[in-house]
Amino acid sequence: MLRSTALLAVLSLLARAYAHGQLHEALFDIVTHLNAAIPLLAPGEQSELAELDLLAARRAKATAAYESALTLLAAGLAALGHDAWRREPALAFDLHAEQAECEYLSGALDRALARLEHIEPHAATSVHRLQLIDLRVVLHASMGNTRAALQAGRLGLAAAGIELPEDPTACRLAVADELARIDHLLARTPLAALVDAPPLRDPAMRGVLKLLADMLAPANLTHPDLYALINTTQARLSIEHGHTDISAYTYVVYGFFLATVLRQYPQADQFGRFALELNDRLDNPALRCRLRFVYATYSHFTRPLRSVLAEFSAALDDGREAGDHIYSASACSHILISRISLGDPLAEVHEQADRLLALTQRTRVSSAAATQTVARQLVSALRGRNLAPHSLADEHFDEHAFVARCERSGMTFALRWYATASLLLALLFDRGADARALIDRFGPPIAGNFGFYFTTEFAFLAALALARLAADAPPDERPARLAELATYADPLAAWALACPANFAHRAALVAAERAALTGDDAAAITAYDAALEAARAAGFVAHEALTCELAARFHRQRGRAG
């Protein structure tokens, strides 16, 4: 009895220390020792110990120590005993729910799903039911079952009074309604003022926002209209009800939607900057990497690429510090793509590509590793080190096998970046048939979703390749070629208005090639000069060199070789 009383005293001290934030790392050691003494504790003391196990497990989970967390959670349930659901139903629920989440995070997806089946009959509140549905969505999405993930999410939201239609047309109408509601809310309270909005306290609404956030990934893969509706609904609810710890991510993704779908570039930039400021205000370093990354993925529509490159580099540093492997690996990919486009020294980029690829391969983010492999192979080709000048292949890289693997694994980003890199080589080495095949195969899906920076590069290269193909075509086929060219040239002109630093020289070069095709030599010369000046001013060394080459060819064809 004396030892039991002493343990109770220790528990009381721990509780007070926790209230004053004094436990820190000592908590894990203390709780582990107390768990060894469970048989000595009275029922009330066992419940207090179970609460400390839950606290320690959550801290372990926050540091990605999932196995340690699972050990602590099992000890907490052991402390409650076999009748835990009767004695402490709320605490038992929290322990079991944390177990399921840690099993998912440690890769034991089937075990986590089985645990959900066990917990669900004990979910006594709407908040608990939302929590379990959210975890079910995440599990199904991780297992590749997007249909089941979205079905579960829809059911959970419907129970909370939010209906997401299945028909794409109905989704688009609902998106328009959400956008109108967002505009109305922002007319009353400007976005900048929302940084001081009070946090959202309602646990049910917090659960709804978390569920919407976790439905984004499966919706993005298969249902773009539903994805847009989920994102706009998230943004509207956050503006309406207040912030949670994930609201900053909601706003930065909404900015991506504004930029890539609605082409509202200044507004998109405003939401991206607001998201970063809000996250700093909320002091959530765990989100910083992904926020910087997502913001950078559409910042090329409003900010010079060199500045965007710095944002990706900062995202990489934040990701390394926070252990955010997926987003830091993706930042590595965009760093290489940006540096290649800017025309940075190839030896430096090659060395960085090897280094970043090795880092990404250790984290096993396969899509990012595939993207960086293409970047390395492109740099190697530009340095004349591959099997052929126009090819990405060398003794270690088989293009056909790579494409097949990307298609088999659904690595769309890597595959389309491969098409962009291959199109650059086809253009540089005057391989019209290769360019034609790449544009036919990859052009329509890329043109249907211009967003990431490399897709704008594809548009630039495709426009130039089509201009060259039109020049070589019979006169009666030329109008059709020029009409196809407009698919890529017209967006370039719009982007040039939004961000001249990145796109003015490209729009001018394409305009020069089009003018040359129609025989307007004076306009062509003016546009070539404008393209050269703009590329040089913006620091796009590779594009400056390409402009010089195309302008020189134009003058040679007209007998002005000197």
Side-chain angles (χ1 to χ4, degrees):
M1 185 66 182
L2 178 61
R3 293 181 65 186
S4 178
T5 303
L7 285 167
L8 180 58
V10 171
L11 287 171
S12 299
L13 287 171
L14 283 170
R16 286 196 295 273
Y18 169 61
H20 292 88
Q22 296 168 352
L23 288 180
H24 305 298
E25 297 304 320
L27 173 65
F28 301 103
D29 293 334
I30 295 170
V31 171
T32 299
H33 287 301
L34 289 172
N35 283 332
I38 288 174
L40 301 174
L41 301 179
E45 297 168 346
Q46 290 170 347
S47 296
E48 289 189 65
L49 176 56
E51 289 178 358
L52 286 172
D53 277 311
L54 178 61
L55 170 63
R58 284 173 170 165
R59 290 197 177 183
K61 184 183 72 173
T63 62
Y66 305 125
E67 294 302 326
S68 298
L70 285 167
T71 300
L72 291 162
L73 293 165
L77 287 168
L80 291 182
H82 66 278
D83 60 344
W85 288 113
R86 181 188 61 81
R87 285 176 51 197
E88 296 279 0
L91 180 55
F93 178 88
D94 287 343
L95 288 164
H96 278 290
E98 289 288 347
Q99 268 189 324
E101 186 173 353
C102 286
E103 285 167 342
Y104 151 67
L105 291 169
S106 63
L109 304 185
D110 291 329
R111 199 157 68 237
L113 204 54
R115 192 173 299 280
L116 273 185
E117 304 288 346
H118 169 69
I119 307 171
E120 281 171 337
H122 299 281
T125 68
S126 60
V127 173
H128 282 170
R129 287 190 287 273
L130 267 176
Q131 181 182 348
L132 297 186
I133 289 171
D134 179 54
L135 184 53
R136 184 174 287 279
V137 167
V138 172
L139 281 167
H140 282 312
S142 299
M143 298 167 84
N145 194 344
T146 57
R147 184 189 298 273
L150 293 175
Q151 183 180 19
R154 276 193 169 100
L155 289 173
L157 291 171
I162 297 175
E163 297 287 344
L164 296 182
E166 297 198 24
D167 177 63
T169 301
C171 278
R172 287 192 287 273
L173 291 172
V175 167
D177 181 60
E178 290 291 354
L179 289 170
R181 295 173 74 177
I182 289 171
D183 287 344
H184 177 71
L185 289 168
L186 293 178
R188 292 189 314 183
T189 308
L191 183 62
L194 291 175
V195 76
D196 295 316
L200 175 59
R201 302 294 185 190
D202 179 10
M205 184 54 65
R206 291 177 69 90
V208 164
L209 288 171
K210 177 73 164 58
L211 179 54
L212 285 165
D214 287 328
M215 290 176 69
L216 278 172
N220 188 37
L221 293 172
T222 53
H223 297 76
D225 295 306
L226 177 60
Y227 176 88
L229 178 55
I230 291 170
N231 182 226
T232 51
T233 302
Q234 266 188 298
R236 190 259 304 169
L237 289 173
S238 291
I239 294 169
E240 209 166 41
H241 294 280
H243 305 313
T244 72
D245 53 350
I246 62 170
S247 290
Y249 187 67
T250 295
Y251 291 130
V252 80
V253 174
Y254 182 64
F256 186 87
F257 171 75
L258 290 175
T260 62
V261 177
L262 301 185
R263 309 291 189 247
Q264 295 179 4
Y265 304 122
Q267 296 92 325
D269 186 71
Q270 184 184 15
F271 268 92
R273 292 177 184 272
F274 173 75
L276 293 173
E277 181 184 358
L278 176 62
N279 193 64
D280 286 342
R281 188 71 62 92
L282 296 174
D283 192 25
N284 190 357
L287 269 186
R288 196 169 292 133
C289 169
R290 67 186 64 189
L291 290 175
R292 285 188 185 278
F293 171 78
V294 175
Y295 175 46
T297 59
Y298 58 87
S299 291
H300 53 273
F301 290 118
T302 52
R303 300 169 61 196
L305 186 60
R306 188 66 69 180
S307 173
V308 177
L309 175 60
E311 200 72 56
F312 281 126
S313 298
L316 174 57
D317 292 339
D318 289 336
R320 283 171 168 168
E321 184 176 338
D324 194 336
H325 300 313
I326 293 176
Y327 283 92
S328 58
S330 299
C332 292
S333 301
H334 287 263
I335 287 169
L336 296 176
I337 291 170
S338 300
R339 294 197 69 189
I340 291 169
S341 182
L342 285 164
D344 285 355
L346 290 174
E348 291 181 13
V349 180
H350 205 160
E351 183 277 330
Q352 187 178 29
D354 286 336
R355 181 162 38 83
L356 295 182
L357 179 56
L359 173 67
T360 298
Q361 287 171 335
R362 287 198 297 273
T363 61
R364 299 184 180 181
V365 183
S366 55
S367 178
T371 301
Q372 292 162 43
T373 297
V374 171
R376 183 188 62 188
Q377 295 305 118
L378 175 57
V379 173
S380 181
L382 294 172
R383 300 183 76 189
R385 297 186 174 187
N386 287 357
L387 296 178
H390 60 273
S391 173
L392 295 173
D394 61 17
E395 59 272 19
H396 304 296
F397 182 79
D398 183 312
E399 292 192 54
H400 296 295
F402 176 85
V403 169
R405 180 166 66 89
C406 287
E407 290 178 332
R408 189 168 57 250
S409 303
M411 293 190 288
T412 304
F413 184 99
L415 188 60
R416 293 179 182 177
W417 161 236
Y418 161 83
T420 304
S422 299
L423 184 57
L424 172 60
L425 294 177
L427 180 70
L428 292 178
F429 293 97
D430 205 15
R431 297 181 65 86
D434 291 350
R436 178 74 270 174
L438 288 163
I439 293 169
D440 286 345
R441 181 175 179 183
F442 296 101
I446 291 177
N449 190 26
F450 286 129
F452 293 117
Y453 174 75
F454 82 86
T455 65
T456 69
E457 189 82 339
F458 185 95
F460 175 51
L461 299 172
L464 295 177
L466 288 168
R468 189 171 300 181
L469 289 168
D472 296 336
D476 60 326
E477 295 181 12
R478 194 166 291 179
R481 296 282 192 273
L482 288 171
E484 183 183 9
L485 191 158
T487 301
Y488 303 98
D490 292 351
L492 282 170
W495 300 331
L497 294 175
C499 187
N502 291 338
F503 299 106
H505 66 281
R506 283 186 264 198
L509 182 55
V510 171
E513 293 284 279
R514 293 171 93 177
L517 278 171
T518 59
D520 190 344
D521 285 10
I525 292 171
T526 299
Y528 281 126
D529 289 344
L532 184 60
E533 182 180 353
R536 184 175 296 148
F540 282 86
V541 177
H543 293 170
E544 181 184 349
L546 179 60
T547 301
C548 289
E549 181 179 336
L550 295 181
R553 187 188 64 183
F554 166 82
H555 287 293
R556 280 198 307 271
Q557 289 172 343
R558 284 150 180 78
R560 296 189 288 269

